[in-house]
Each structure stands twice: as C-alpha cells, then as structure tokens.
Amino acid sequence: MPTLILVRHGRSTANTSGVLAGRTPGVALDERGAAQAAALPARLAALPVCEVVTSPLQRCQETVRPLLEARPGLRCHTEERISECDYGDWSGRKLAELKDEPLMEVVQAHPSAAAFPGGESMRAMQTRAAEAVREWNARVEREHGADAVYLMCSHGDIIKSLVADALGLHLDLFQRISVEPCSVTVIRYTRLRPFLVRLGDTGDFASLVPREEPGDGDAPVGGGAGAP
C-alpha cells in the first residue's frame, strides 16, 4: 500500500496570536509560515509525490501552493474529512482563556471523552480522518501502484490522531505526540500494519532549546506554534 506524507500547515496568524483557530475562515500563514511553505518543495524534491490532498482551510491551501507551483503536473484534491477539528464555541478564543475551562482537563487527560460545545468530539475527528486516509490509500494504490507516495496537508490534532491510529494507540494517548508547523510525518502502509517512518520532522532543532519559561506539561490544543 502507499506511503503517506503528512504535512502540518505552516505557522499561521492564529498560532502566533495564541488563538484556537479551528475552522474560522481567513486564517492565513504568517511571514514565517509562508517561508516554511516556500521551503517545502526543496525538502520533498527527492520524493515522487503522485497526488496532493489538502484540508479546505486557507492555511493548508497556502502551504501546498509552492509545491504545486514547483510541480505543475501534480494534481491537488480538497478533502473535507482532514479539515481541522470543529472546536465549535471554542473556535476563535484565546488559548489562555480556555485553560480554565473544565473541558480542557478532559481534552488533556481523556480526549476520547471530549466533545466541544457546538462542535464535534475528538473521537469523531479521528474516525473521519482515518476513514479518509484508508479511502485515499486504496485510490492511490489503484491509480498509481502499491509503491506510490502521496501527500496530505492537514492540522496538528488531525495528524496526531492519525499517528495514534497507525501505532495502535488509544486516542487518550495522542496528546503525547507533537507535530510542529510545516513538519513532515510519514506513515508507510502495508497489508498487515502501518509503519511510522518519520514524526514531526522539520529539519530544525530550534524547538529543542530550553525555554526561559518552561511549559506546564499540557499539550497545545490545535498543535501549537512551534519554535519561536
């Protein structure tokens, strides 16, 4: 079965302003995010990507644009099922405000039980994304062969949930996974099992430098802004 390259969108204006964007329209890449997207074609130059599948949200569309411009014959498809989690009433709110919401503790410790008011549950998010990947795996293999490589551009929580699915991890453990903006995660699917080949690879170790103010141990909902 095919090899899937999962790319999280580049850093967005919501990432840097500390806002949980969700599906809020008009959230674009910031200056650093645009530079990350511009560097993506060179990072993937050696890979024979046969198809690109992207979330419908603007920040993902902008992330794959330089790759599509560099490879004019590459087809791009929009896939609603790999769109950002529907955070409902939380969408557009400051993450600093949301930390005091009782639901945040559930999101951190027991995400399989978390459902966002006016939005969707994290279980539903994982299910739709995993179903999309399985259907695209079959389609890509049918059209391009079992050794094909294709790319999906999506969002932090979506990619983390797909990694958990590939590793056979319960969704309650997915907050232990980290994927930075414009990071590359690779899953190679086979008849018997998936293999996680790369996880959150940016080629940059800046995010590993100790911060002046250490974090509180919570996983950033939506994925975080990455290295400063």
Side-chain angles (χ1 to χ4, degrees), residues 110-209:
H110 192 18
S112 66
F116 296 97
E120 70 178 334
S121 69
M122 301 198 95
R123 289 194 320 277
M125 173 198 74
Q126 183 187 43
T127 298
R128 63 173 166 82
E131 287 177 349
V133 166
R134 282 161 174 74
E135 289 181 19
W136 276 100
N137 282 348
R139 174 174 173 175
V140 168
E141 181 173 5
R142 187 169 60 249
E143 295 182 5
H144 299 280
D147 296 325
V149 177
Y150 75 108
L151 181 147
M152 279 187 171
C153 185
S154 188
H155 307 268
D157 282 349
I158 295 288
I159 294 173
K160 288 162 57 178
S161 75
L162 289 171
V163 170
D165 175 75
L167 292 176
L169 293 178
H170 196 284
L171 184 61
D172 285 347
L173 301 179
F174 100 125
Q175 297 290 28
R176 302 182 184 195
I177 299 166
S178 176
V179 289
E180 290 198 7
C182 222
S183 63
V184 173
T185 294
V186 181
I187 302 172
R188 180 171 294 133
Y189 290 87
T190 73
R191 186 173 61 85
L192 296 180
R193 65 184 63 85
F195 292 90
L196 180 63
V197 183
R198 294 284 189 281
L199 176 61
D201 189 344
T202 63
D204 179 4
F205 295 103
S207 64
L208 302 180
V209 176

Side-chain angles (χ1 to χ4, degrees), residues 8 25 56 217:
R8 185 184 167 200

Side-chain angles (χ1 to χ4, degrees), residues 7 30 43 47 54 77 80 92 97 124 129 145 161 213-215 219:
V7 176
D30 68 5
R43 291 171 63 196
L47 297 178
T54 180
H77 313 267
E80 296 283 346
E97 297 174 6
S161 75
E213 297 182 4

Side-chain angles (χ1 to χ4, degrees), residues 82-124:
I82 62 168
S83 187
E84 178 65 285
C85 183
D86 184 355
Y87 298 116
D89 298 344
W90 280 25
S91 300
R93 293 180 60 187
K94 287 279 190 180
L95 288 165
E97 297 174 6
L98 294 171
K99 289 182 72 67
D100 296 327
E101 294 279 355
L103 179 60
M104 182 60 85
E105 186 176 1
V106 182
V107 170
Q108 292 294 325
H110 192 18
S112 66
F116 296 97
E120 70 178 334
S121 69
M122 301 198 95
R123 289 194 320 277

